[in-house]
Amino acid sequence: MIMKLLTIKNLNSGYGDIKVIKNVSLEINTGEIVSIVGANGAGKTTLLKTISGVIPAESGEIVFDGKRIEHLPPHMITDLGIIQVPEGRRIFPMFTVYENLLIGSVLPRTIKERKNNLERVFELLPRLAERKTQVGSTLSGGEQQMLAIGRALMGMPRILMLDEPSLGLSPKLVSTVFEIISKINSQGITVVLVEQNVKQALKLSQRAYVLENGMIALEGSAEKIINDPQVKKAYLGL
Amino acid sequence: MDSLSVIVNGISMGAIYGLIALGLTLIFGIMKIINFAHGALLMLSMMCSYWTWKYTGINPYLLIIMIAPVMFVIGYSTERFFIKPVLDAQKDVREPIAVLLLTAAFAIVLENLSLMLFGADYVMAKTTVTDATIAFGGVTLSAARFYALIIALVISGGFYLFLQYTELGRKLRSCGQDRNTASLMGIDVPKTFAIAFGIGTALLAVAAITLLPFYYVHPTVGNVFMTKAFIVVVLGGLGSVPGALLGGIIIGLIESIGAQYMTATLTTVIVYAIFLLILFIKPSGLFGSRLEW
């Protein structure tokens, strides 16, 4: 049975007078990987930030697990298990790898499980175990991305939202990151993937939404989107 | 005075400067706000301590357990009810100047309230510690200054360990590095800011009590320390905890040694000259770094 985990209805948001997200509606089902793709400035990051509560929603509904959440502050949304890996990784530069992981589990809900989660993260991302005492700002781009993902996992996500995880990484590392995302999903965590790397994101996902100028231009199964002539032309260069 | 006690006195006064600067550097490091009310809040702590001592006669050092929590609540509430609304209104502003003006106004209000309630008299808590001395292998030290040094060092060290190794310390530091990402970790950033302001103010209570037995209290006493706290913080590196203590001790030593050879006015000139010189060589301060927390 398909269960709706996150439902967004007629969402509008933006920065002051600038409307970025216009009347967006979408659904995320439990256990899926859903991609949100689109060009630069289409509103993908703004959409994630609105879901996370960093940017307030102007109107519309965000329903998570049957509860309205669009009015909640970001830390309470995180506490519900909606966890974002922000664009540009945003690891804490002065913290060691270990401290960065600890700060990912500061909520009472996660602090109890900290030890188990640390083991799980180090098993999935052995590189982090090697770099445990290294300061965040000295890590390479790929390591920083692993750390950002590991830190998010410490928060025990029910939905993991990744904002451009492949940005600035070498093609080989991009594949590694996508493999990790696939592994995380296979552990039962729902994944929302925002990407400009459309081809690889669509390959990994079951469904996708194409965002254009803050509106949903196209939605459906990843297969359908990847074969859409317009998408092919605009995003895949085929 | 022999040279050793001059040095110890300088270090002791400097450690108090450092202790005062610690709160300023904490509030700046985490909230990126320059708190112009810091001196006035020190004055308030000194007034509270003085009048509590006067009416109860409790040993001033024991007053720490009473005054520090009171000042924490005052600092926490100030942030929560006055600073937060202004900060929220200026959320998208890069340098929230209105907050700066608010703290400056708050300082003026506190000073004048204190003038109204307590008058302009200079008062001092003449306790048993005031005139006591401690002899250390031929060196005689003022007991009050010696205790001040010990308390300042213990509190600064403890505060550093608290920031480095506790759950709350880590939360505070994460807000100082990147408040948006901190909120994504599940940290209640506005509450953490209020706690930071509360801790910064509670540290002033400790400084106030170490000063009480040998320093006059009056409504504008904060100004004397405010200017020095700014110098100390900039000298040590904005936002740096070890920098605040070291910066304080440097200033304290210059003053104390200078006072042996020249007038107080000239000593102040030297303090500023050395301050400018260090900034000229290292503009970010001794321990300064963009990403200190």
Side-chain angles (χ1 to χ4, degrees), chain A residues 129-171:
Chain A
E130 289 166 30
R131 308 267 155 165
K132 205 172 159 184
T133 55
Q134 202 171 318
V135 174
S137 58
T138 63
L139 297 177
S140 72
E143 288 163 349
Q144 289 194 3
Q145 189 61 59
M146 311 274 173
L147 180 54
I149 293 173
R151 183 181 65 180
L153 290 176
M154 293 298 291
M156 302 168 80
R158 293 181 64 194
I159 290 192
L160 184 67
M161 303 193 298
L162 299 114
D163 196 351
E164 307 260 6
S166 74
L167 196 72
L169 300 184
S170 70

Side-chain angles (χ1 to χ4, degrees), chain A residues 159-197:
Chain A
I159 290 192
L160 184 67
M161 303 193 298
L162 299 114
D163 196 351
E164 307 260 6
S166 74
L167 196 72
L169 300 184
S170 70
K172 193 166 171 265
L173 270 172
V174 172
S175 309
T176 313
V177 166
F178 278 107
E179 267 168 43
I180 291 166
I181 294 169
S182 169
K183 268 189 207 166
I184 291 169
N185 178 247
S186 68
Q187 291 173 4
I189 296 167
T190 308
V191 173
V192 176
L193 186 57
V194 161
E195 264 297 342
Q196 287 196 52
N197 196 335

Side-chain angles (χ1 to χ4, degrees), chain A:
Chain A
M1 196 189 90
I2 296 170
M3 235 188 73
K4 282 175 198 150
L5 190 57
L6 185 78
T7 312
I8 295 175
K9 270 185 217 151
N10 307 326
L11 183 71
N12 288 286
S13 83
Y15 307 86
D17 291 336
I18 306 156
K19 304 260 174 292
V20 181
I21 298 298
K22 298 157 197 155
N23 216 26
V24 164
S25 298
L26 56 81
E27 277 169 8
I28 313 286
N29 302 321
T30 306
E32 282 187 308
I33 299 184
V34 176
S35 280
I36 299 171
V37 296
N40 240 342
K44 305 184 298 290
T45 297
T46 309
L47 178 61
L48 285 201
K49 281 186 174 170
T50 312
I51 299 172
S52 292
V54 176
I55 297 172
E58 273 158 32
S59 64
E61 285 179 22
I62 305 174
V63 181
F64 177 71
D65 208 10
K67 265 179 294 187
R68 296 270 296 260
I69 60 160
E70 72 274 1
H71 57 279
L72 293 178
H75 68 274
M76 293 181 82
I77 292 176
T78 301
D79 200 10
L80 292 172
I82 302 177
I83 299 191
Q84 199 196 127
V85 178
E87 188 180 9
R89 311 132 179 49
R90 293 292 193 133
I91 58 160
F92 294 102
M94 295 303 289
F95 279 176
T96 62
V97 167
Y98 183 61
E99 284 177 312
N100 263 292
L101 291 174
L102 293 187
I103 206 78
S105 62
V106 287
L107 291 160
R109 164 176 78 79
T110 54
I111 219 165
K112 289 179 291 191
E113 299 290 326
R114 186 178 266 180
K115 233 179 131 191
N116 294 333
N117 288 332
L118 267 174
E119 270 172 33
R120 232 174 275 163
V121 167
F122 285 145
E123 200 188 309
L124 183 72
L125 306 161
R127 196 59 182 265
L128 295 184
E130 289 166 30
R131 308 267 155 165
K132 205 172 159 184
T133 55
Q134 202 171 318
V135 174
S137 58
T138 63
L139 297 177
S140 72
E143 288 163 349
Q144 289 194 3
Q145 189 61 59
M146 311 274 173
L147 180 54
I149 293 173
R151 183 181 65 180
L153 290 176
M154 293 298 291
M156 302 168 80
R158 293 181 64 194
I159 290 192
L160 184 67
M161 303 193 298
L162 299 114
D163 196 351
E164 307 260 6
S166 74
L167 196 72
L169 300 184
S170 70
K172 193 166 171 265
L173 270 172
V174 172
S175 309
T176 313
V177 166
F178 278 107
E179 267 168 43
I180 291 166
I181 294 169
S182 169
K183 268 189 207 166
I184 291 169
N185 178 247
S186 68
Q187 291 173 4
I189 296 167
T190 308
V191 173
V192 176
L193 186 57
V194 161
E195 264 297 342
Q196 287 196 52
N197 196 335
V198 176
K199 208 171 177 178
Q200 268 182 293
L202 289 177
K203 265 192 215 160
L204 195 67
S205 327
Q206 284 99 45
R207 291 192 306 117
Y209 291 87
V210 178
L211 211 57
E212 240 167 55
N213 297 320
M215 289 178 285
I216 303 276
L218 210 61
E219 58 176 286
S221 72
E223 210 176 326
K224 178 190 145 197
I225 304 261
I226 212 166
N227 290 318
D228 186 276
Q230 252 186 315
V231 172
K232 269 188 174 173
K233 202 171 152 220
Y235 301 105
L236 302 173
L238 296 172

Side-chain angles (χ1 to χ4, degrees), chain B residues 140-180:
Chain B
T140 313
L141 300 169
S142 143
R145 284 171 184 261
F146 180 72
Y147 294 150
L149 173 62
I150 300 297
I151 292 172
L153 289 181
V154 168
I155 296 289
S156 304
F159 179 65
Y160 182 75
L161 295 177
F162 156 76
L163 279 178
Q164 291 296 319
Y165 299 110
T166 66
E167 209 69 42
L168 180 57
R170 209 177 293 123
K171 280 188 196 174
L172 286 163
R173 282 190 293 146
S174 74
C175 290
Q177 290 176 50
D178 185 341
R179 59 183 72 168
N180 279 333

